[in-house]
Amino acid sequence: MKRRVEPELLDTLPPGDLRAVRSRQDLCRVNSWMGNPMIMANALKKSAGGNPVASILELGAGDGCFLLTVARKLPASWAGVKAAALDRQLNITPATSAAFADLRWELAAMTADVFDWAPSADGQSAILANLFLHHFADDRLAELLRKIAGGTRLFIAVEPRRMLWPALGGWLLALIGCNDVTRHDGKVSIRAGFAGREISDLWPEPHRWHLTEKRSGFFSHLFIARRLD
């Protein structure tokens, strides 16, 4: 099945729309159901050699729920990480900010389109993306990956695994009580997801990086880029 990128309903709804609010809540459960926070935390620990990184930027961070869950799955020795959340429509609540503070993580919020974002001169220790890259067709995705590669030494993405029967994903989302927006977007996400080495094929200057791309869990696709020099 060829990769197909289509608009998702959540991206078109106002942040305060009740269906959008419910869908964002659904996504926290969907991430947990897929095992994505644990996949990300394990990949981050392994890629960093078990040592804490100084700074983490999450692209497409939304309400910060995913990054917070990842932070909670990392060892206490990771306290002091400088975290940043970037999204066009950030919805980070005071309670979420307080939860980061309880972990002794510093959290900065940045509201911007990812294509307007300029990586800092000294770069981020790690950049993360969860269920984000699949929103972009290959030409735009290649552009984004070039920008990411210029702003970090470690990039980790957890994405939907493209399946032969996208309707199965919608049925499973209905089974766990997700609303119509989440069910629609789930099927769209699966059709836009990844398989094989599709992200690796778009990564710039691959000879300078160690690239890992594989299936992870039942429904997720993991990509890791770690700079060699």
Side-chain angles (χ1 to χ4, degrees):
M1 180 176 65
K2 188 175 181 180
R3 186 169 178 257
R4 191 169 84 197
V5 179
E6 304 166 87
E8 296 189 13
L9 289 179
L10 185 58
D11 294 334
T12 66
L13 294 172
D17 184 285
L18 292 180
R19 292 162 72 216
V21 172
R22 170 64 187 277
S23 185
R24 288 195 297 270
Q25 294 170 349
D26 287 345
L27 286 176
C28 288
R29 288 188 294 132
V30 170
N31 271 307
S32 177
W33 175 64
M34 293 176 70
N36 285 1
M38 183 59 75
I39 291 170
M40 182 67 81
N42 287 340
L44 187 54
K45 285 186 292 185
K46 183 176 180 180
S47 300
N51 300 312
V53 300
S55 61
I56 293 174
L57 169 65
E58 185 190 3
L59 304 178
D63 60 5
C65 169
F66 177 78
L67 185 57
L68 176 60
T69 307
V70 172
R72 284 172 168 161
K73 294 185 180 299
L74 293 168
S77 60
W78 285 59
V81 169
K82 294 181 178 180
L86 184 142
D87 202 301
R88 286 186 305 174
Q89 295 181 344
L90 277 173
N91 298 283
I92 297 175
T93 65
T96 298
S97 296
F100 275 102
D102 289 343
L103 295 172
R104 291 169 39 203
W105 281 46
E106 297 180 32
L107 178 66
M110 299 185 291
T111 304
D113 187 286
V114 70
F115 290 98
D116 296 329
W117 156 69
S120 60
D122 54 352
Q124 297 284 337
S125 299
I127 295 179
L128 313 180
N130 175 65
L131 304 183
F132 182 64
L133 300 185
H134 71 276
H135 287 89
F136 307 104
D138 286 357
D139 55 345
R140 290 290 271 170
L141 179 55
E143 179 184 347
L144 176 57
L145 295 178
R146 285 194 297 271
K147 180 176 282 196
I148 291 169
T152 189
R153 301 182 64 81
L154 174 63
F155 174 61
I156 306 173
V158 183
E159 293 295 319
R161 183 78 176 176
R162 195 164 69 254
M163 302 182 338
L164 194 56
W165 301 284
L168 174 62
W171 179 80
L172 291 172
L173 292 176
L175 194 64
I176 63 173
C178 293
N179 76 351
D180 63 307
V181 174
T182 310
R183 296 196 303 272
H184 171 275
D185 288 356
K187 289 183 281 189
V188 170
S189 296
I190 292 168
R191 288 193 290 266
F194 298 96
R197 293 183 57 81
E198 292 174 331
I199 303 175
S200 299
D201 289 344
L202 298 174
W203 190 260
E205 300 185 300
H207 60 284
R208 297 182 180 274
W209 298 78
H210 182 272
L211 303 180
T212 300
E213 187 166 3
K214 62 182 181 178
R215 178 175 179 168
S216 188
F218 289 106
F219 306 103
S220 300
H221 187 81
L222 175 65
F223 174 77
I224 304 171
R226 183 168 48 84
R227 187 180 286 275
L228 293 174
D229 50 352

